[in-house]
Amino acid sequence: MKRKMKSALLLLLSLVVVFSIAACSGGSSGGSSAGGEGANKQVTLDYVWFTDGIEGEVMKGIIADYEKQNPNIKINLIEVAYKDLGTKLKTMISGGRPPALSRMTDTGLFVNQALDLTPYVGSAEEFSSQYIDSIKPYYIVDNKVIAAPMDVTANGMIYNKTLFEKAGVQVPTKDNIWTWDEFAAAVKQVMEKGEAKYGLVWDFTPQRWSTLLYQFGGSMLSEDGTKAAINSPEGVQALEFFVKLHKEGIIPQSVWLGSENPNNLFRSGSVAVHMAGNWMLSSYKDIDNFEWGVTYMPKQSIRSSVPGGKYVMAFKDSGVEKEAGEFIKYLSSKEVNAKYNRESLFISPRKDNAQLDYAFGKEMFEVFSDELANTTPRAANDWSRQEIVTKFSNDLKNHVVEAIGGKLTPKEALDKTAEQINKVIAEQAKK
């Protein structure tokens, strides 16, 4: 009898051991590989990130929320300076250890390394239908979703309310957009009656200048990107008008022909309008020597801004593609995207987040959003081709400077730029 009881006890202990081993083999406390059978595996996603302002802290909060909902996921935020982003990514990819994710601006530079997100966010058509049309070339390539839009930037006009009121000049409304000639006449009045030293300061960048190019009906490249279009009659007219604004003293030559900072000029209270972007709203929050706001940009043949912004991209061969795709799906949701942009004081690219309840500047953000809604696709078609644009944009800036300084006519300046563009395109075609 005792022998039978002892045998039964040994059998029971054996079964306990077997079940314990089986239970342990069903989960893992480490590892970083994806897979259906590893639903409980601890997975780490390296997320390369740069911060312009407060959005880094906002993203950390979103990550904490996601990790609570997904305890097997750890997101490792690798923070780098924006100027080092490209080098960091190239080093990681060439070393065979691409990150799971990265915050991006120049998506086109890494299109061949990008993970196709369509299995996670839906078809290119379905996914892009949720976002403003003007940014589509940045993240849809060959009918693949190569990145997800997080926030969007727009060029626009910030104006000195105090000077305009002193001059008795009303700014335009959404239903009464000025032409560029009407704008020039209005700011001259602000200079005369409001005692503004300058009517307009314009950021010293080719991207900001291109706003005028699109409003005049021009573009930098042909629609298919195979040749230069910047020296079209519309392009030449845009540069002629820009030169005219300098010659008439509306724009100070000290910015484009010197080294004066347009932000400092506007802060001084002596400038009627600053052509900048929505990112300046948080920067100008501390101005207390005058009232300021945002007004609608003028048009020529069309209205247009230049869309920019930030995206999140996942990479091939990271070993955690599935988890990276699922996290991007989470970031792209209406609710999470709204939280990110509202708390960061950014503009959402989602159509259903066009009006967010910002703690500051709600009506000003809506003006920038309206500028984007009226932006030509040519702008994104040009600026999304970073493999081409980065190799001529500095030449464009220098040629605009030469036109303002009278060393070249506007046509000569843009003809020289077109030559450089076509050379870059020919070199790209050989690769």
Side-chain angles (χ1 to χ4, degrees), residues 315-349:
F315 294 89
K316 299 174 184 175
D317 304 321
S318 69
V320 288
E321 291 91 339
K322 177 178 178 291
E323 289 81 0
E326 289 173 348
F327 180 55
I328 289 178
K329 181 180 180 180
Y330 175 80
L331 291 177
S332 302
S333 67
K334 180 181 186 297
E335 295 74 21
V336 175
N337 179 265
K339 174 182 172 66
Y340 175 73
N341 284 284
R342 183 179 61 251
E343 295 183 10
S344 300
L345 293 180
F346 288 160
I347 300 174
S348 172

PDB file of all heavy atoms in Angstrom, residues 315-349:
ATOM      1  N   PHE A 315      11.720  51.000 -40.056  1.00  0.00           N
ATOM      2  CA  PHE A 315      12.758  50.538 -40.972  1.00  0.00           C
ATOM      3  C   PHE A 315      12.730  49.028 -41.171  1.00  0.00           C
ATOM      4  O   PHE A 315      12.381  48.269 -40.255  1.00  0.00           O
ATOM      5  CB  PHE A 315      14.137  50.970 -40.452  1.00  0.00           C
ATOM      6  CG  PHE A 315      14.322  52.461 -40.471  1.00  0.00           C
ATOM      7  CD1 PHE A 315      13.954  53.224 -39.382  1.00  0.00           C
ATOM      8  CD2 PHE A 315      14.814  53.101 -41.592  1.00  0.00           C
ATOM      9  CE1 PHE A 315      14.101  54.605 -39.395  1.00  0.00           C
ATOM     10  CE2 PHE A 315      14.958  54.481 -41.628  1.00  0.00           C
ATOM     11  CZ  PHE A 315      14.599  55.235 -40.518  1.00  0.00           C
ATOM     12  N   LYS A 316      13.109  48.634 -42.366  1.00  0.00           N
ATOM     13  CA  LYS A 316      13.239  47.219 -42.689  1.00  0.00           C
ATOM     14  C   LYS A 316      14.385  46.616 -41.867  1.00  0.00           C
ATOM     15  O   LYS A 316      15.333  47.310 -41.491  1.00  0.00           O
ATOM     16  CB  LYS A 316      13.559  47.037 -44.172  1.00  0.00           C
ATOM     17  CG  LYS A 316      12.514  47.555 -45.131  1.00  0.00           C
ATOM     18  CD  LYS A 316      13.047  47.446 -46.563  1.00  0.00           C
ATOM     19  CE  LYS A 316      12.099  48.034 -47.585  1.00  0.00           C
ATOM     20  NZ  LYS A 316      12.672  48.029 -48.961  1.00  0.00           N
ATOM     21  N   ASP A 317      14.294  45.306 -41.658  1.00  0.00           N
ATOM     22  CA  ASP A 317      15.378  44.525 -41.050  1.00  0.00           C
ATOM     23  C   ASP A 317      15.721  44.936 -39.620  1.00  0.00           C
ATOM     24  O   ASP A 317      16.829  44.708 -39.147  1.00  0.00           O
ATOM     25  CB  ASP A 317      16.655  44.587 -41.916  1.00  0.00           C
ATOM     26  CG  ASP A 317      16.406  44.134 -43.350  1.00  0.00           C
ATOM     27  OD1 ASP A 317      15.650  43.164 -43.526  1.00  0.00           O
ATOM     28  OD2 ASP A 317      16.953  44.755 -44.281  1.00  0.00           O
ATOM     29  N   SER A 318      14.768  45.537 -38.934  1.00  0.00           N
ATOM     30  CA  SER A 318      15.013  45.880 -37.530  1.00  0.00           C
ATOM     31  C   SER A 318      14.782  44.684 -36.619  1.00  0.00           C
ATOM     32  O   SER A 318      15.224  44.674 -35.479  1.00  0.00           O
ATOM     33  CB  SER A 318      14.101  47.037 -37.103  1.00  0.00           C
ATOM     34  OG  SER A 318      12.749  46.605 -37.062  1.00  0.00           O
ATOM     35  N   GLY A 319      14.051  43.683 -37.110  1.00  0.00           N
ATOM     36  CA  GLY A 319      13.706  42.521 -36.295  1.00  0.00           C
ATOM     37  C   GLY A 319      12.454  42.721 -35.473  1.00  0.00           C
ATOM     38  O   GLY A 319      11.952  41.786 -34.851  1.00  0.00           O
ATOM     39  N   VAL A 320      11.941  43.968 -35.473  1.00  0.00           N
ATOM     40  CA  VAL A 320      10.730  44.268 -34.691  1.00  0.00           C
ATOM     41  C   VAL A 320       9.738  45.040 -35.572  1.00  0.00           C
ATOM     42  O   VAL A 320       9.042  45.934 -35.115  1.00  0.00           O
ATOM     43  CB  VAL A 320      11.075  45.072 -33.413  1.00  0.00           C
ATOM     44  CG1 VAL A 320      11.772  44.195 -32.396  1.00  0.00           C
ATOM     45  CG2 VAL A 320      11.949  46.283 -33.753  1.00  0.00           C
ATOM     46  N   GLU A 321       9.689  44.666 -36.835  1.00  0.00           N
ATOM     47  CA  GLU A 321       8.849  45.392 -37.784  1.00  0.00           C
ATOM     48  C   GLU A 321       7.379  45.397 -37.368  1.00  0.00           C
ATOM     49  O   GLU A 321       6.700  46.420 -37.477  1.00  0.00           O
ATOM     50  CB  GLU A 321       8.992  44.780 -39.191  1.00  0.00           C
ATOM     51  CG  GLU A 321      10.349  45.003 -39.838  1.00  0.00           C
ATOM     52  CD  GLU A 321      11.342  43.891 -39.556  1.00  0.00           C
ATOM     53  OE1 GLU A 321      11.148  43.156 -38.551  1.00  0.00           O
ATOM     54  OE2 GLU A 321      12.307  43.751 -40.327  1.00  0.00           O
ATOM     55  N   LYS A 322       6.887  44.239 -36.908  1.00  0.00           N
ATOM     56  CA  LYS A 322       5.481  44.129 -36.538  1.00  0.00           C
ATOM     57  C   LYS A 322       5.139  45.088 -35.397  1.00  0.00           C
ATOM     58  O   LYS A 322       4.155  45.840 -35.459  1.00  0.00           O
ATOM     59  CB  LYS A 322       5.147  42.696 -36.138  1.00  0.00           C
ATOM     60  CG  LYS A 322       3.715  42.482 -35.652  1.00  0.00           C
ATOM     61  CD  LYS A 322       3.475  41.014 -35.329  1.00  0.00           C
ATOM     62  CE  LYS A 322       2.060  40.788 -34.803  1.00  0.00           C
ATOM     63  NZ  LYS A 322       1.861  41.391 -33.466  1.00  0.00           N
ATOM     64  N   GLU A 323       5.955  45.086 -34.350  1.00  0.00           N
ATOM     65  CA  GLU A 323       5.703  45.953 -33.204  1.00  0.00           C
ATOM     66  C   GLU A 323       5.856  47.429 -33.574  1.00  0.00           C
ATOM     67  O   GLU A 323       5.101  48.282 -33.079  1.00  0.00           O
ATOM     68  CB  GLU A 323       6.652  45.604 -32.057  1.00  0.00           C
ATOM     69  CG  GLU A 323       6.350  44.277 -31.391  1.00  0.00           C
ATOM     70  CD  GLU A 323       6.905  43.070 -32.135  1.00  0.00           C
ATOM     71  OE1 GLU A 323       7.542  43.258 -33.193  1.00  0.00           O
ATOM     72  OE2 GLU A 323       6.693  41.934 -31.663  1.00  0.00           O
ATOM     73  N   ALA A 324       6.808  47.737 -34.433  1.00  0.00           N
ATOM     74  CA  ALA A 324       6.992  49.126 -34.876  1.00  0.00           C
ATOM     75  C   ALA A 324       5.781  49.601 -35.673  1.00  0.00           C
ATOM     76  O   ALA A 324       5.287  50.718 -35.485  1.00  0.00           O
ATOM     77  CB  ALA A 324       8.262  49.242 -35.721  1.00  0.00           C
ATOM     78  N   GLY A 325       5.278  48.738 -36.566  1.00  0.00           N
ATOM     79  CA  GLY A 325       4.093  49.083 -37.345  1.00  0.00           C
ATOM     80  C   GLY A 325       2.869  49.300 -36.474  1.00  0.00           C
ATOM     81  O   GLY A 325       2.079  50.225 -36.703  1.00  0.00           O
ATOM     82  N   GLU A 326       2.720  48.474 -35.440  1.00  0.00           N
ATOM     83  CA  GLU A 326       1.571  48.618 -34.539  1.00  0.00           C
ATOM     84  C   GLU A 326       1.665  49.903 -33.705  1.00  0.00           C
ATOM     85  O   GLU A 326       0.657  50.563 -33.431  1.00  0.00           O
ATOM     86  CB  GLU A 326       1.482  47.395 -33.633  1.00  0.00           C
ATOM     87  CG  GLU A 326       1.038  46.143 -34.390  1.00  0.00           C
ATOM     88  CD  GLU A 326       1.117  44.888 -33.548  1.00  0.00           C
ATOM     89  OE1 GLU A 326       1.737  44.937 -32.453  1.00  0.00           O
ATOM     90  OE2 GLU A 326       0.575  43.843 -33.984  1.00  0.00           O
ATOM     91  N   PHE A 327       2.891  50.281 -33.311  1.00  0.00           N
ATOM     92  CA  PHE A 327       3.056  51.527 -32.554  1.00  0.00           C
ATOM     93  C   PHE A 327       2.751  52.739 -33.442  1.00  0.00           C
ATOM     94  O   PHE A 327       2.117  53.702 -32.996  1.00  0.00           O
ATOM     95  CB  PHE A 327       4.474  51.614 -31.991  1.00  0.00           C
ATOM     96  CG  PHE A 327       4.734  52.864 -31.192  1.00  0.00           C
ATOM     97  CD1 PHE A 327       3.929  53.202 -30.116  1.00  0.00           C
ATOM     98  CD2 PHE A 327       5.783  53.707 -31.525  1.00  0.00           C
ATOM     99  CE1 PHE A 327       4.163  54.358 -29.372  1.00  0.00           C
ATOM    100  CE2 PHE A 327       6.032  54.868 -30.791  1.00  0.00           C
ATOM    101  CZ  PHE A 327       5.215  55.186 -29.715  1.00  0.00           C
ATOM    102  N   ILE A 328       3.161  52.682 -34.711  1.00  0.00           N
ATOM    103  CA  ILE A 328       2.855  53.780 -35.630  1.00  0.00           C
ATOM    104  C   ILE A 328       1.347  53.886 -35.858  1.00  0.00           C
ATOM    105  O   ILE A 328       0.801  54.993 -35.950  1.00  0.00           O
ATOM    106  CB  ILE A 328       3.619  53.608 -36.962  1.00  0.00           C
ATOM    107  CG1 ILE A 328       5.106  53.878 -36.742  1.00  0.00           C
ATOM    108  CG2 ILE A 328       3.055  54.522 -38.051  1.00  0.00           C
ATOM    109  CD1 ILE A 328       5.969  53.692 -37.974  1.00  0.00           C
ATOM    110  N   LYS A 329       0.672  52.752 -35.925  1.00  0.00           N
ATOM    111  CA  LYS A 329      -0.788  52.780 -36.046  1.00  0.00           C
ATOM    112  C   LYS A 329      -1.401  53.504 -34.850  1.00  0.00           C
ATOM    113  O   LYS A 329      -2.343  54.299 -34.999  1.00  0.00           O
ATOM    114  CB  LYS A 329      -1.331  51.348 -36.138  1.00  0.00           C
ATOM    115  CG  LYS A 329      -2.846  51.283 -36.293  1.00  0.00           C
ATOM    116  CD  LYS A 329      -3.319  49.831 -36.391  1.00  0.00           C
ATOM    117  CE  LYS A 329      -4.840  49.788 -36.549  1.00  0.00           C
ATOM    118  NZ  LYS A 329      -5.336  48.388 -36.647  1.00  0.00           N
ATOM    119  N   TYR A 330      -0.868  53.244 -33.669  1.00  0.00           N
ATOM    120  CA  TYR A 330      -1.338  53.917 -32.441  1.00  0.00           C
ATOM    121  C   TYR A 330      -1.075  55.426 -32.516  1.00  0.00           C
ATOM    122  O   TYR A 330      -1.963  56.230 -32.235  1.00  0.00           O
ATOM    123  CB  TYR A 330      -0.605  53.300 -31.251  1.00  0.00           C
ATOM    124  CG  TYR A 330      -0.887  53.955 -29.913  1.00  0.00           C
ATOM    125  CD1 TYR A 330      -2.048  53.670 -29.205  1.00  0.00           C
ATOM    126  CD2 TYR A 330       0.045  54.830 -29.341  1.00  0.00           C
ATOM    127  CE1 TYR A 330      -2.291  54.247 -27.958  1.00  0.00           C
ATOM    128  CE2 TYR A 330      -0.190  55.417 -28.109  1.00  0.00           C
ATOM    129  CZ  TYR A 330      -1.356  55.126 -27.418  1.00  0.00           C
ATOM    130  OH  TYR A 330      -1.590  55.702 -26.193  1.00  0.00           O
ATOM    131  N   LEU A 331       0.139  55.808 -32.906  1.00  0.00           N
ATOM    132  CA  LEU A 331       0.473  57.229 -33.011  1.00  0.00           C
ATOM    133  C   LEU A 331      -0.401  57.950 -34.032  1.00  0.00           C
ATOM    134  O   LEU A 331      -0.680  59.144 -33.885  1.00  0.00           O
ATOM    135  CB  LEU A 331       1.945  57.394 -33.411  1.00  0.00           C
ATOM    136  CG  LEU A 331       3.011  56.993 -32.397  1.00  0.00           C
ATOM    137  CD1 LEU A 331       4.391  57.157 -33.005  1.00  0.00           C
ATOM    138  CD2 LEU A 331       2.893  57.821 -31.126  1.00  0.00           C
ATOM    139  N   SER A 332      -0.821  57.226 -35.077  1.00  0.00           N
ATOM    140  CA  SER A 332      -1.587  57.829 -36.163  1.00  0.00           C
ATOM    141  C   SER A 332      -3.065  57.986 -35.855  1.00  0.00           C
ATOM    142  O   SER A 332      -3.777  58.646 -36.607  1.00  0.00           O
ATOM    143  CB  SER A 332      -1.450  56.970 -37.433  1.00  0.00           C
ATOM    144  OG  SER A 332      -0.107  56.842 -37.809  1.00  0.00           O
ATOM    145  N   SER A 333      -3.536  57.404 -34.763  1.00  0.00           N
ATOM    146  CA  SER A 333      -4.959  57.481 -34.445  1.00  0.00           C
ATOM    147  C   SER A 333      -5.378  58.921 -34.184  1.00  0.00           C
ATOM    148  O   SER A 333      -4.566  59.761 -33.789  1.00  0.00           O
ATOM    149  CB  SER A 333      -5.275  56.619 -33.221  1.00  0.00           C
ATOM    150  OG  SER A 333      -4.664  57.154 -32.057  1.00  0.00           O
ATOM    151  N   LYS A 334      -6.622  59.216 -34.411  1.00  0.00           N
ATOM    152  CA  LYS A 334      -7.153  60.566 -34.239  1.00  0.00           C
ATOM    153  C   LYS A 334      -6.880  61.097 -32.830  1.00  0.00           C
ATOM    154  O   LYS A 334      -6.418  62.233 -32.649  1.00  0.00           O
ATOM    155  CB  LYS A 334      -8.655  60.582 -34.521  1.00  0.00           C
ATOM    156  CG  LYS A 334      -9.323  61.955 -34.375  1.00  0.00           C
ATOM    157  CD  LYS A 334     -10.814  61.856 -34.642  1.00  0.00           C
ATOM    158  CE  LYS A 334     -11.470  63.236 -34.643  1.00  0.00           C
ATOM    159  NZ  LYS A 334     -11.369  63.914 -33.329  1.00  0.00           N
ATOM    160  N   GLU A 335      -7.139  60.275 -31.831  1.00  0.00           N
ATOM    161  CA  GLU A 335      -7.027  60.713 -30.443  1.00  0.00           C
ATOM    162  C   GLU A 335      -5.583  60.995 -30.046  1.00  0.00           C
ATOM    163  O   GLU A 335      -5.287  62.036 -29.430  1.00  0.00           O
ATOM    164  CB  GLU A 335      -7.620  59.650 -29.509  1.00  0.00           C
ATOM    165  CG  GLU A 335      -9.111  59.423 -29.664  1.00  0.00           C
ATOM    166  CD  GLU A 335      -9.483  58.647 -30.926  1.00  0.00           C
ATOM    167  OE1 GLU A 335      -8.593  57.944 -31.485  1.00  0.00           O
ATOM    168  OE2 GLU A 335     -10.649  58.746 -31.361  1.00  0.00           O
ATOM    169  N   VAL A 336      -4.680  60.076 -30.377  1.00  0.00           N
ATOM    170  CA  VAL A 336      -3.277  60.254 -29.983  1.00  0.00           C
ATOM    171  C   VAL A 336      -2.644  61.395 -30.768  1.00  0.00           C
ATOM    172  O   VAL A 336      -1.888  62.202 -30.219  1.00  0.00           O
ATOM    173  CB  VAL A 336      -2.490  58.944 -30.167  1.00  0.00           C
ATOM    174  CG1 VAL A 336      -1.007  59.152 -29.870  1.00  0.00           C
ATOM    175  CG2 VAL A 336      -3.062  57.847 -29.275  1.00  0.00           C
ATOM    176  N   ASN A 337      -2.964  61.481 -32.061  1.00  0.00           N
ATOM    177  CA  ASN A 337      -2.428  62.577 -32.870  1.00  0.00           C
ATOM    178  C   ASN A 337      -2.918  63.927 -32.360  1.00  0.00           C
ATOM    179  O   ASN A 337      -2.165  64.906 -32.324  1.00  0.00           O
ATOM    180  CB  ASN A 337      -2.823  62.385 -34.343  1.00  0.00           C
ATOM    181  CG  ASN A 337      -2.314  63.495 -35.228  1.00  0.00           C
ATOM    182  OD1 ASN A 337      -3.027  64.457 -35.506  1.00  0.00           O
ATOM    183  ND2 ASN A 337      -1.073  63.390 -35.655  1.00  0.00           N
ATOM    184  N   ALA A 338      -4.183  63.985 -31.936  1.00  0.00           N
ATOM    185  CA  ALA A 338      -4.734  65.230 -31.394  1.00  0.00           C
ATOM    186  C   ALA A 338      -4.004  65.626 -30.116  1.00  0.00           C
ATOM    187  O   ALA A 338      -3.643  66.802 -29.929  1.00  0.00           O
ATOM    188  CB  ALA A 338      -6.227  65.080 -31.127  1.00  0.00           C
ATOM    189  N   LYS A 339      -3.780  64.676 -29.238  1.00  0.00           N
ATOM    190  CA  LYS A 339      -3.068  64.946 -27.981  1.00  0.00           C
ATOM    191  C   LYS A 339      -1.664  65.473 -28.263  1.00  0.00           C
ATOM    192  O   LYS A 339      -1.228  66.477 -27.673  1.00  0.00           O
ATOM    193  CB  LYS A 339      -2.979  63.658 -27.150  1.00  0.00           C
ATOM    194  CG  LYS A 339      -2.132  63.766 -25.881  1.00  0.00           C
ATOM    195  CD  LYS A 339      -2.064  62.419 -25.169  1.00  0.00           C
ATOM    196  CE  LYS A 339      -1.066  62.445 -24.017  1.00  0.00           C
ATOM    197  NZ  LYS A 339      -1.465  63.349 -22.923  1.00  0.00           N
ATOM    198  N   TYR A 340      -0.962  64.803 -29.170  1.00  0.00           N
ATOM    199  CA  TYR A 340       0.416  65.191 -29.493  1.00  0.00           C
ATOM    200  C   TYR A 340       0.489  66.623 -30.019  1.00  0.00           C
ATOM    201  O   TYR A 340       1.304  67.432 -29.557  1.00  0.00           O
ATOM    202  CB  TYR A 340       0.997  64.216 -30.524  1.00  0.00           C
ATOM    203  CG  TYR A 340       2.378  64.583 -31.012  1.00  0.00           C
ATOM    204  CD1 TYR A 340       3.492  64.418 -30.185  1.00  0.00           C
ATOM    205  CD2 TYR A 340       2.565  65.105 -32.277  1.00  0.00           C
ATOM    206  CE1 TYR A 340       4.755  64.761 -30.625  1.00  0.00           C
ATOM    207  CE2 TYR A 340       3.837  65.462 -32.724  1.00  0.00           C
ATOM    208  CZ  TYR A 340       4.926  65.286 -31.890  1.00  0.00           C
ATOM    209  OH  TYR A 340       6.176  65.636 -32.325  1.00  0.00           O
ATOM    210  N   ASN A 341      -0.375  66.954 -30.975  1.00  0.00           N
ATOM    211  CA  ASN A 341      -0.328  68.284 -31.588  1.00  0.00           C
ATOM    212  C   ASN A 341      -0.887  69.378 -30.680  1.00  0.00           C
ATOM    213  O   ASN A 341      -0.348  70.487 -30.641  1.00  0.00           O
ATOM    214  CB  ASN A 341      -1.067  68.257 -32.929  1.00  0.00           C
ATOM    215  CG  ASN A 341      -0.256  67.581 -34.002  1.00  0.00           C
ATOM    216  OD1 ASN A 341       0.686  68.140 -34.526  1.00  0.00           O
ATOM    217  ND2 ASN A 341      -0.614  66.340 -34.321  1.00  0.00           N
ATOM    218  N   ARG A 342      -1.943  69.060 -29.963  1.00  0.00           N
ATOM    219  CA  ARG A 342      -2.523  70.063 -29.064  1.00  0.00           C
ATOM    220  C   ARG A 342      -1.536  70.456 -27.966  1.00  0.00           C
ATOM    221  O   ARG A 342      -1.325  71.645 -27.700  1.00  0.00           O
ATOM    222  CB  ARG A 342      -3.806  69.503 -28.440  1.00  0.00           C
ATOM    223  CG  ARG A 342      -4.539  70.491 -27.549  1.00  0.00           C
ATOM    224  CD  ARG A 342      -5.816  69.889 -26.967  1.00  0.00           C
ATOM    225  NE  ARG A 342      -5.553  68.718 -26.139  1.00  0.00           N
ATOM    226  CZ  ARG A 342      -5.859  67.467 -26.485  1.00  0.00           C
ATOM    227  NH1 ARG A 342      -6.474  67.218 -27.623  1.00  0.00           N
ATOM    228  NH2 ARG A 342      -5.569  66.452 -25.682  1.00  0.00           N
ATOM    229  N   GLU A 343      -0.901  69.461 -27.362  1.00  0.00           N
ATOM    230  CA  GLU A 343       0.008  69.749 -26.252  1.00  0.00           C
ATOM    231  C   GLU A 343       1.360  70.293 -26.724  1.00  0.00           C
ATOM    232  O   GLU A 343       2.043  70.991 -25.977  1.00  0.00           O
ATOM    233  CB  GLU A 343       0.198  68.489 -25.405  1.00  0.00           C
ATOM    234  CG  GLU A 343      -1.083  68.045 -24.718  1.00  0.00           C
ATOM    235  CD  GLU A 343      -0.893  66.841 -23.820  1.00  0.00           C
ATOM    236  OE1 GLU A 343       0.279  66.444 -23.578  1.00  0.00           O
ATOM    237  OE2 GLU A 343      -1.908  66.294 -23.338  1.00  0.00           O
ATOM    238  N   SER A 344       1.741  69.988 -27.967  1.00  0.00           N
ATOM    239  CA  SER A 344       3.010  70.490 -28.508  1.00  0.00           C
ATOM    240  C   SER A 344       2.860  71.843 -29.188  1.00  0.00           C
ATOM    241  O   SER A 344       3.850  72.442 -29.602  1.00  0.00           O
ATOM    242  CB  SER A 344       3.575  69.481 -29.514  1.00  0.00           C
ATOM    243  OG  SER A 344       3.808  68.227 -28.931  1.00  0.00           O
ATOM    244  N   LEU A 345       1.616  72.312 -29.333  1.00  0.00           N
ATOM    245  CA  LEU A 345       1.307  73.538 -30.089  1.00  0.00           C
ATOM    246  C   LEU A 345       1.747  73.400 -31.547  1.00  0.00           C
ATOM    247  O   LEU A 345       2.387  74.269 -32.120  1.00  0.00           O
ATOM    248  CB  LEU A 345       1.960  74.767 -29.443  1.00  0.00           C
ATOM    249  CG  LEU A 345       1.432  75.173 -28.064  1.00  0.00           C
ATOM    250  CD1 LEU A 345       2.162  76.398 -27.554  1.00  0.00           C
ATOM    251  CD2 LEU A 345      -0.075  75.434 -28.106  1.00  0.00           C
ATOM    252  N   PHE A 346       1.387  72.259 -32.149  1.00  0.00           N
ATOM    253  CA  PHE A 346       1.642  71.979 -33.559  1.00  0.00           C
ATOM    254  C   PHE A 346       0.317  71.918 -34.310  1.00  0.00           C
ATOM    255  O   PHE A 346      -0.752  71.809 -33.706  1.00  0.00           O
ATOM    256  CB  PHE A 346       2.361  70.631 -33.728  1.00  0.00           C
ATOM    257  CG  PHE A 346       3.789  70.618 -33.289  1.00  0.00           C
ATOM    258  CD1 PHE A 346       4.412  69.410 -32.989  1.00  0.00           C
ATOM    259  CD2 PHE A 346       4.535  71.782 -33.175  1.00  0.00           C
ATOM    260  CE1 PHE A 346       5.740  69.361 -32.591  1.00  0.00           C
ATOM    261  CE2 PHE A 346       5.862  71.759 -32.772  1.00  0.00           C
ATOM    262  CZ  PHE A 346       6.460  70.535 -32.482  1.00  0.00           C
ATOM    263  N   ILE A 347       0.410  71.927 -35.632  1.00  0.00           N
ATOM    264  CA  ILE A 347      -0.761  71.747 -36.489  1.00  0.00           C
ATOM    265  C   ILE A 347      -0.869  70.267 -36.852  1.00  0.00           C
ATOM    266  O   ILE A 347       0.114  69.654 -37.275  1.00  0.00           O
ATOM    267  CB  ILE A 347      -0.659  72.588 -37.777  1.00  0.00           C
ATOM    268  CG1 ILE A 347      -0.562  74.074 -37.448  1.00  0.00           C
ATOM    269  CG2 ILE A 347      -1.871  72.342 -38.684  1.00  0.00           C
ATOM    270  CD1 ILE A 347      -0.302  74.949 -38.663  1.00  0.00           C
ATOM    271  N   SER A 348      -2.043  69.712 -36.697  1.00  0.00           N
ATOM    272  CA  SER A 348      -2.243  68.319 -37.074  1.00  0.00           C
ATOM    273  C   SER A 348      -2.446  68.192 -38.574  1.00  0.00           C
ATOM    274  O   SER A 348      -3.160  68.992 -39.174  1.00  0.00           O
ATOM    275  CB  SER A 348      -3.468  67.735 -36.357  1.00  0.00           C
ATOM    276  OG  SER A 348      -3.760  66.442 -36.871  1.00  0.00           O
ATOM    277  N   PRO A 349      -1.860  67.168 -39.191  1.00  0.00           N
ATOM    278  CA  PRO A 349      -2.096  66.929 -40.613  1.00  0.00           C
ATOM    279  C   PRO A 349      -3.399  66.182 -40.884  1.00  0.00           C
ATOM    280  O   PRO A 349      -3.830  66.089 -42.028  1.00  0.00           O
ATOM    281  CB  PRO A 349      -0.896  66.088 -41.033  1.00  0.00           C
ATOM    282  CG  PRO A 349      -0.519  65.344 -39.790  1.00  0.00           C
ATOM    283  CD  PRO A 349      -0.859  66.241 -38.638  1.00  0.00           C
TER     284      PRO A 349
END
